[in-house]
Amino acid sequence: MRLSARIKCFKYLVYAYVILISICGGAQLVIGAFLLWTHKQYAPIVKNQFWEPFAVLIGLGVISQALCYLGWTSTSRKQRCYLGLVKHTPTRQHPAPRAINRPIIFQFCAFLVLFIVILFLVSGWSVATKAHLIVPAEVAIEASFTEFLAKDNTNDQTHIWNRLQRDFRCCGYNGVSDYKKNKQMGFPWSCYDPIDTKVFNTGCMHVFVRSIEMNMIRVAVVAVASALIQSLGIFCAIQLTMLLRRPTLMLPNGDNQSIRVKRTRELTPLSPATIGHPKPHSSTKPPIPLKPVVPHVDQPVMKSSH
């Protein structure tokens, strides 16, 4: 049975939406992996904290790809695109298999709504983490910098603090004054600009904390954008399901058209106006003519005269 033009339109919209979910999931995977990899390079400075939102974003990307598979298979199931029914396995209590009136598209919509809620929760969690990371991050960075000075690792080119100062173009914890306090220790090579050999004046604590905060904001923005984009598919899926549940009318040219089923109305007594002016019949058959009713007239009684 061929699909009507409207059903085909919504079907292709669902296909396009599934592809859009796949793109969003891929973006979540790439962005989450990049943020996690960037953070892990300097995570020991903050005692391996604040990496959880990036890992969760990667997990959400994997879930998005799973939703793509569910949406694609549920939309392409059968030629009529009925999206399949979950069948019951025969058991002793129910030996005969029976179909449960729960199409896969409903499961897809339910998982999609749950996933959108999770995306908004992750976004709020990232914003809350950004608001509360300043104090623990400052304490961890200060302890790491104190250990760096105590062990005199300023000449170690592979040390994490030298890499941090080189990549973030910063120097010291609060600035160059942290190295000036120790007169026997000069500025490490990572505090100099390789182009003009000037010393960086910005402290690494402010730069690194600001970088972590911006990464948290990126996670929140990606989660909200993905939730808004994926919420568009609920409308397409619901409209497609409503169209598929309508019966079809076969036209003379071989096409079929979705029709609406009218509800039966209760019978109401006919009024005199309706009887006197009946409405034309809606079917193609001619209306049944009403038989004339002859009024019953009593014959007059003839009295005999005596």
Side-chain angles (χ1 to χ4, degrees):
M1 184 179 295
R2 291 182 295 179
L3 298 175
S4 63
R6 191 174 181 183
I7 295 178
K8 286 183 179 180
C9 178
F10 275 104
K11 181 179 179 180
Y12 293 140
L13 282 177
V14 173
Y15 278 135
Y17 167 72
V18 170
I19 296 174
L20 187 61
I21 291 182
S22 178
I23 295 175
C24 290
Q28 292 172 8
L29 285 172
V30 173
I31 295 175
F34 175 76
L35 294 178
L36 183 62
W37 175 76
T38 304
H39 182 76
K40 281 296 183 180
Q41 289 184 339
Y42 312 103
I45 296 179
V46 290
K47 297 181 179 180
N48 295 318
Q49 302 180 89
F50 317 118
W51 58 270
E52 293 87 355
F54 313 134
V56 171
L57 188 62
I58 296 175
L60 293 177
V62 175
I63 297 175
S64 296
Q65 300 300 328
L67 282 175
C68 291
Y69 174 77
L70 179 61
W72 189 276
T73 54
S74 61
T75 306
S76 60
R77 185 71 60 84
K78 297 184 180 181
Q79 294 181 357
R80 179 73 193 270
C81 186
Y82 267 119
L83 310 175
L85 292 177
V86 181
K87 293 186 177 180
H88 176 71
T89 305
T91 58
R92 293 183 178 180
Q93 291 79 7
H94 303 282
R98 56 187 178 87
I100 301 176
N101 188 16
R102 187 176 57 185
I104 296 179
I105 192 66
F106 291 157
Q107 298 179 5
F108 173 66
C109 290
F111 287 136
L112 187 59
V113 171
L114 179 61
F115 186 63
I116 291 173
V117 173
I118 293 175
L119 285 173
F120 280 112
L121 292 177
V122 170
S123 176
W125 175 44
S126 300
V127 174
T129 304
K130 169 190 172 296
H132 296 87
L133 66 83
I134 297 178
V135 175
E138 289 180 353
V139 173
I141 293 173
E142 184 178 5
S144 177
F145 183 73
T146 303
E147 182 181 358
F148 171 67
L149 294 179
K151 294 183 179 181
D152 194 11
N153 293 322
T154 56
N155 295 325
D156 186 4
Q157 296 184 359
T158 61
H159 196 273
I160 189 172
W161 265 97
N162 283 325
R163 291 190 286 110
L164 178 69
Q165 293 177 145
R166 178 196 61 193
D167 297 338
F168 285 84
R169 303 176 67 85
C170 58
C171 186
Y173 176 74
N174 288 318
V176 294
S177 59
D178 296 329
Y179 292 104
K180 291 181 180 180
K181 295 177 182 179
N182 191 350
K183 298 181 180 180
Q184 298 179 356
M185 181 183 299
F187 298 123
W189 62 270
S190 56
C191 285
Y192 289 93
D193 192 340
I195 299 177
D196 54 8
T197 65
K198 291 183 179 180
V199 180
F200 302 127
N201 295 321
T202 308
C204 292
M205 187 271 295
H206 304 285
V207 178
F208 190 45
V209 170
R210 191 182 306 115
S211 174
I212 298 176
E213 291 177 347
M214 290 302 300
N215 289 339
M216 295 297 173
I217 294 177
R218 292 186 181 97
V219 172
V221 170
V222 171
V224 171
S226 301
L228 294 178
I229 293 174
Q230 294 178 8
S231 61
L232 299 176
I234 300 178
F235 170 76
C236 295
I238 292 176
Q239 288 294 325
L240 179 61
T241 306
M242 292 175 61
L243 288 174
L244 290 174
R245 295 183 66 180
R246 296 176 186 171
T248 55
L249 177 64
M250 185 62 66
L251 299 178
N253 57 358
D255 296 336
N256 49 14
Q257 184 178 3
S258 177
I259 59 175
R260 297 179 180 269
V261 179
K262 296 183 178 180
R263 297 181 179 179
T264 58
R265 299 180 179 178
E266 297 181 357
L267 297 178
T268 56
L270 297 177
S271 60
T274 307
I275 297 175
H277 301 83
K279 296 182 180 180
H281 205 272
S282 59
S283 62
T284 57
K285 296 181 180 180
I288 301 175
L290 298 177
K291 295 182 179 180
V293 179
V294 180
H296 180 71
V297 180
D298 295 336
Q299 296 293 333
V301 179
M302 302 297 293
K303 294 183 179 180
S304 59
S305 58
H306 295 284

